[in-house]
Amino acid sequence: MKNGIKEHYREEDIQKMKLESDVENWEASVEFTEKEIDFFTDLLNLPQFDSSPAKIRLSLLDQLEAIHKTNKACSREILEFSNKLEGMNECEDIQCETYFLNSHEEFRDKIEKHLLRFRALKGRIFPYLSREFVR
């Protein structure tokens, strides 16, 4: 969080600050994931890998492409969600706030699953690259 929580902040303000912090972290994670996807794609497309087992390399590239599409969608959805979060300022009852909090938790789950899938894919890419560079 950029700013610390002050004693005079209301609980609703603190909650909103935490939600906004999450959105900023998601944006940064998805943005960096995009750079990693591009890096791994470029690396796997280097001529040195032309002679490596094509089936594995192509599978990894296909998986990167699928993750790339999901990552792009997540990026758009984060922006939409951030804009939607502004509506929380208009809430006048607990039911409205609960809607936003539940939406936030659902979205957090979606983003975290996406990032975990990418981490798992990197876990498959690293051994492949290690084998190919050691040869």
Side-chain angles (χ1 to χ4, degrees):
M1 224 179 276
K2 289 181 185 174
N3 300 322
I5 296 174
K6 310 275 192 278
E7 285 185 34
H8 66 275
Y9 286 163
R10 296 183 334 215
E11 187 175 333
E12 296 83 26
D13 294 332
I14 294 170
Q15 199 169 46
K16 184 141 177 24
M17 288 171 64
K18 288 180 179 180
L19 297 180
E20 289 170 350
S21 177
D22 281 348
V23 171
E24 287 176 16
N25 288 333
W26 296 338
E27 287 174 334
S29 293
V30 167
E31 186 178 310
F32 191 74
T33 296
E34 188 70 22
K35 292 176 184 177
E36 288 181 296
I37 291 167
D38 290 343
F39 172 78
F40 286 123
T41 300
D42 290 347
L43 192 59
L44 290 169
N45 279 316
L46 288 173
Q48 296 93 305
F49 294 108
D50 286 345
S51 62
S52 65
K55 185 177 180 181
I56 296 171
R57 187 171 70 77
L58 292 176
S59 173
L60 292 172
L61 286 167
D62 287 345
Q63 292 173 63
L64 279 168
E65 179 59 29
I67 289 281
H68 182 254
K69 288 178 183 174
T70 303
N71 202 64
K72 288 284 191 195
C74 285
S75 184
R76 286 188 303 274
E77 290 172 19
I78 290 170
L79 180 60
E80 291 169 9
F81 185 78
S82 179
N83 292 335
K84 179 178 157 182
L85 201 55
E86 293 301 317
M88 190 172 177
N89 294 331
E90 306 301 319
C91 286
E92 294 186 14
D93 60 21
I94 274 297
Q95 195 172 15
C96 178
E97 285 183 21
T98 301
Y99 165 78
F100 281 101
L101 294 174
N102 286 333
S103 295
H104 183 82
E105 289 304 312
E106 288 173 21
F107 197 66
R108 175 198 315 273
D109 188 51
K110 180 178 182 171
I111 295 294
E112 286 179 358
K113 284 180 182 174
H114 164 63
L115 295 173
L116 283 172
R117 280 191 297 270
F118 182 56
R119 189 176 310 142
L121 176 56
K122 288 190 295 187
R124 292 186 296 275
I125 292 173
F126 288 138
Y128 172 79
L129 293 175
S130 293
R131 280 191 304 270
E132 294 306 310
F133 279 121
V134 171
R135 301 200 272 166

